[in-house]
Amino acid sequence: MLRHLRSLEDFTKEELGAFIERALELKKERQAGVKHQRLAGKTIGLIFEKPSTRTRVSFESAMYGLGGEVIFLSGRDTQLARSEPLKDMARVMARYVDGLVVRTFGQNVVEELARYSSVPVINALTDLHHPCQILSDVMTVIEKRGPIENLKIAWVGDGNNVANSWIQAAEFFGFELTLACPEGYDPDPEILQKGRSNAAKPIVLVRSPEQAVAEADVINVDVWTSMGQEGEEDARLAAFDGFQINDALLACAPADTIVLHCLPAHRGEEITEEVLESARCVAFDQAENKMHMHKAILEKLIGD
Ligand code: CP
Ligand code: NVA
């Protein structure tokens, strides 16, 4: 059956849990030197309209690690840059590849490609969501701190794509989520409202970073200026004053709180060098887990 991963909502709670289980298993298998050929003979196309280090390389490495092949296309090198309709792009690409991994601006691009594609479309980040990131982040939290439904997770900073996907994760995985965002930088209101109505535990929006981290087992941070918002950088630097993850803020959190950053990090802005390089920050394990998670996603969507 054709399945897409446009946002976490494309899967059930059980299926999302299965991605985590499988990614943890694949990680152990890789450490033990187990080789896979499950996707031998399959090819995925990566269409990226924004830059990427981790997501691109971890998807490519995941696909090769499963015996498959990858074709990478930057947005500007395709006819999309010359306004070829998405519905044509989707139908043409689906004749050549077994899955499409897409990083773009509007969520509508991913939705439209999925509508017309006869192969799975995977969202590798839009302005609205970053679902694959959050699956590997949840995996990292479980690895470090155990069952996630018992934990309190904080988000400090911009109510951006990554924050929106964390809200959806709270809905499915059942943890308590407190987001501290400055006024004017809240998460998507529809996602927040839906998350709140469906979640078993509270999803709280506050203005004070100190309040958000006070009882947090996990603190999440991301850049203040996302890709595509470069023109807003000065206004954002001013708006996020006081939202930096630094030793003073961590002093307000429990002693065993861990810090997640999906990277890339801007040291001296949303996080200090000291915190990023400290033992509390698990950003590099988090980055590694993207590859294991992408294998689990590709196996299910392309292999099944
Ligand atoms: N975390 C993340 O998506 O990183 P990239 O932008 O490097 O892919
Ligand atoms: N919110 C960031 C995430 C980067 C992985 C962005 O969209 O640029």
Side-chain angles (χ1 to χ4, degrees):
M1 186 185 133
L2 178 61
R3 303 288 299 272
H4 302 293
L5 176 44
R6 292 160 289 202
S7 77
L8 294 183
E9 286 197 318
D10 279 321
F11 290 86
T12 63
K13 180 185 156 125
E14 289 69 32
E15 287 174 322
L16 295 175
F19 281 131
I20 310 283
E21 291 303 313
R22 183 63 188 139
L24 287 165
E25 225 169 72
L26 283 159
K27 183 170 184 175
K28 284 207 190 93
E29 287 177 2
R30 185 168 193 265
Q31 285 161 350
V34 176
K35 302 275 181 224
H36 288 297
Q37 284 295 316
R38 293 208 177 88
L39 298 186
K42 306 264 186 189
T43 304
I44 54 167
L46 267 62
I47 305 173
F48 277 43
E49 298 196 283
K50 289 177 177 175
S52 170
T53 300
R54 281 146 289 270
T55 309
R56 173 183 174 176
V57 179
S58 57
F59 261 113
E60 293 197 6
S61 172
M63 191 62 185
Y64 289 126
L66 294 170
E69 305 282 338
V70 179
I71 297 169
F72 179 83
L73 291 167
S74 83
R76 67 177 175 276
D77 295 331
T78 70
Q79 296 288 4
L80 281 181
R82 295 176 62 245
S83 307
E84 180 168 19
L86 290 164
K87 60 184 181 184
D88 294 357
M89 179 78 175
R91 286 174 294 177
V92 169
M93 288 297 290
R95 304 282 176 115
Y96 304 140
V97 297
D98 302 288
L100 285 171
V101 178
V102 182
R103 170 168 287 200
T104 186
F105 294 86
Q107 179 69 16
N108 64 306
V109 174
V110 166
E111 305 282 345
E112 179 90 347
L113 289 170
R115 192 167 306 125
Y116 288 95
S117 171
S118 54
V119 300
V121 173
I122 298 169
N123 180 350
L125 181 144
T126 63
D127 292 342
L128 198 63
H129 293 286
H130 198 358
C132 300
Q133 178 71 48
I134 271 42
L135 285 174
S136 50
D137 292 354
V138 169
M139 168 187 176
T140 308
V141 170
I142 293 171
E143 260 187 327
K144 303 285 176 192
R145 299 298 305 263
I148 198 161
E149 61 275 17
N150 302 334
L151 300 177
K152 292 184 178 170
I153 313 262
W155 174 270
V156 178
D158 190 16
N160 62 15
N161 41 10
V162 180
N164 290 333
S165 289
W166 267 106
I167 292 171
Q168 291 198 330
E171 197 180 320
F172 288 107
F173 289 98
F175 51 82
E176 207 173 309
L177 178 66
T178 305
L179 304 111
C181 307
E183 224 163 324
Y185 296 92
D186 290 352
D188 181 83
E190 270 179 42
I191 293 174
L192 184 61
Q193 196 208 356
K194 193 164 179 196
R196 280 175 166 161
S197 3
N198 295 341
K201 302 259 177 74
I203 300 178
V204 182
L205 178 62
V206 298
R207 300 288 173 220
S208 149
E210 289 78 11
Q211 192 184 339
V213 305
E215 294 181 6
D217 301 294
V218 178
I219 300 171
N220 274 292
V221 56
D222 184 15
V223 293
W224 290 338
T225 303
S226 286
M227 291 179 277
Q229 299 171 335
E230 289 76 8
E232 300 171 22
E233 198 161 352
D234 289 346
R236 285 176 170 269
L237 276 176
F240 289 100
D241 187 29
F243 282 72
Q244 185 185 66
I245 307 296
N246 52 32
D247 287 335
L249 184 63
L250 287 188
C252 305
D256 58 353
T257 303
I258 58 168
V259 176
L260 268 72
H261 192 315
C262 64
L263 302 177
H266 292 99
R267 290 166 168 83
E269 289 187 20
E270 76 277 0
I271 192 165
T272 57
E273 168 85 4
E274 292 70 33
V275 173
L276 191 72
E277 298 293 345
S278 74
R280 294 177 105 174
C281 181
V282 299
F284 296 97
D285 291 333
Q286 204 185 334
E288 176 189 331
N289 285 342
K290 285 172 73 76
M291 181 183 64
H292 306 298
M293 179 51 69
H294 294 166
K295 279 187 183 167
I297 292 169
L298 291 170
E299 249 189 16
K300 169 129 183 99
L301 271 69
I302 316 287
D304 267 7

